[in-house]
DNA sequence: GTCCGGATCGGACGAAACGTCCAGTCGACG
DNA sequence: CGTCGACTGGACGTTTCGTCCGATCCGGAC
């Protein structure tokens, strides 16, 4: 594929769908982020109301969308994502096709549900009897969760862990990092084994993921 | 707003407390009923914004108040009641005393939580994924979660962290342990600070908790 | 008052895990 | 054949963990 567009508006796809992205971002107020991805280069084409400091040209870390369940034609979700700061997002993605029916871009809408959930908690707590709900439990078995993420990506790409490419592993590690998995003790060897790489490589991948995500 | 009490200004207690009842009924809008009971005859003295067709002179069905926790002096609740039509109420009651300290009346405020719960359901359903991902771990939430558990126990016992007894702390630590909090890195100092004890004591409490739980 | 025992503290310390670094291997590619 | 990027295995210094122990505090028994 070609060189990703750096300037907003330079890419004809951005010009074509810019009103859509802007309109959705306007409609959903400050709590929705709209991202236009290039599925070929796996990079961001444009962002409206960005949650993080991502901008055009940055990696998408969403490359596996094209290989997702083909039963749901071109529209995926809503599914849940978790940012590093704990915000929970509801996300939907749509594959946008050109006149020849070829995938030209992927539109992602991420809705921050945190304020809604906070408001819901306020409402249901209002005047509530003193009975306190038990705490939601943490995921007890970390390795199961890690295996789930890795297995999901394997299923999405059809590549077993041994034959994964580096972008594959970066995607998986990025997801695990978003989920806060690396805050847990003793988890790096578990991830290393699940990805069939060495402990060193996990740290290397993690450094890469965090470097590209913190770019501003 | 609301239906005014049937005019029976003959009773001095009604004249004395009427502004209170009317004010609370006004403040809480159409979703709160305020009832003034006569504990001696167990009858209704006055009602503001009645949910049912009860009026002055009707029986109170107040008998169960005496069976409530006598430790809480003169104020009971909030406790939950369910109306015949299924509406769930949060209720509080207050014993009102005369100049001689004798119980003269009982004031009951019933708040209909149904609309609040419905609104909360709407909010939390907004943009929610159909399938929820298992709750992941995030380090950011951790201190908040710890503070929540500790704060919950403080509210439940009325004892601030500084004045907790050892069983209090054991309970809190046991709950945190069940939640898997101690699998997260760097969390022990956080817990120690939340409990206002030293790091050593947290390990001591934790050992105690795990020893007694394994003895079963 | 003194004594005593439990709870806690603060610091020390070895063990474990963390995260970095680097020389070396492997395979892809020109 | 040489280069380059990815990965490895291990070494190594640092941070965190979890334990241990003497000191201190404090409430209750005597």
């Amino acid at each position: 594929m070609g060189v990703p567009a750096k300037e907003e508006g330079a890419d004809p796809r951005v010009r074509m769908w810019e009103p859509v992205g802007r309109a959705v971002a306007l409609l959903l107020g400050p709590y929705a982020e709209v991202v236009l991805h290039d599925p070929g280069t796996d990079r961001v084409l444009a962002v409206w109301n960005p949650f993080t400091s991502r901008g055009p040209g940055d990696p998408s870390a969403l490359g596996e969308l094209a290989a997702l369940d083909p039963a749901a034609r071109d529209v995926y979700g809503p599914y849940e994502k978790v940012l590093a700061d704990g915000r929970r997002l509801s996300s939907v993605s749509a594959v946008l096709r050109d006149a020849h029916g070829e995938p030209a871009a992927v539109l992602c809408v991420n809705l921050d549900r945190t304020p809604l959930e906070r408001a819901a908690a306020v409402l249901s707590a209002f005047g509530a009897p003193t009975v306190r709900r038990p705490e939601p439990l943490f995921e007890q078995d970390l390795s199961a969760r890690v295996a789930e993420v890795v297995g999901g990506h394997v299923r999405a790409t059809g590549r077993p862990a041994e034959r994964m490419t580096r972008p594959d592993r970066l995607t998986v590690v990025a997801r695990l990092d978003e989920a806060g998995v690396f805050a847990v003790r003793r988890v790096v060897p578990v991830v290393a084994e699940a990805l069939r790489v060495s402990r060193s490589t996990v740290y290397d991948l993690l450094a890469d993921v965090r470097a590209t995500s913190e770019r501003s």
Side-chain angles (χ1 to χ4, degrees), chain A residues 61-62 64 149 152-153 170-181:
Chain A
L62 279 177
E64 79 283 2
V149 173
H153 197 266
L170 283 173
T171 302
V172 173
V173 169
R175 271 216 226 143
L176 291 172
D177 194 26
E178 277 179 10
V181 164

Side-chain angles (χ1 to χ4, degrees), chain A residues 1-2 11 13 16-17 36-42 45 63 65-68 73-76 94-107:
Chain A
M1 291 285 175
D11 192 300
R13 294 167 293 183
M16 168 162 282
W17 283 297
L36 193 66
H37 299 277
D38 182 333
T41 63
D42 197 26
L45 284 170
L65 260 189
L68 276 183
R73 291 290 296 165
D74 283 356
V75 176
Y76 307 97
V95 176
L96 308 177
R97 296 175 182 275
D98 58 21
H100 313 298
E102 291 304 306
V106 175
L107 188 75

Side-chain angles (χ1 to χ4, degrees), chain A residues 140-184:
Chain A
Q140 293 294 349
D141 187 7
L142 245 269
S143 27
R145 173 119 189 77
V146 171
E148 187 188 323
V149 173
V150 175
H153 197 266
V154 168
R155 264 175 271 116
T157 62
R159 261 185 301 265
E162 292 87 348
R163 304 271 176 236
M164 272 189 182
T165 70
R166 173 159 251 255
D168 286 330
R169 291 195 250 261
L170 283 173
T171 302
V172 173
V173 169
R175 271 216 226 143
L176 291 172
D177 194 26
E178 277 179 10
V181 164
F182 293 105
V184 179

Side-chain angles (χ1 to χ4, degrees), chain A residues 118-130:
Chain A
R118 205 143 41 201
V122 167
L123 280 185
S124 55
F126 185 77
T130 52

Side-chain angles (χ1 to χ4, degrees), chain A residues 11-51:
Chain A
D11 192 300
R13 294 167 293 183
V14 174
R15 278 203 307 274
M16 168 162 282
W17 283 297
E18 189 266 346
V20 177
R22 196 148 47 93
V24 173
L26 274 174
L27 172 66
L28 295 180
Y31 303 122
E33 172 194 61
V34 182
V35 188
L36 193 66
H37 299 277
D38 182 333
T41 63
D42 197 26
R43 299 207 165 249
V44 172
L45 284 170
V47 187
W48 294 269
N49 189 31
F51 285 165

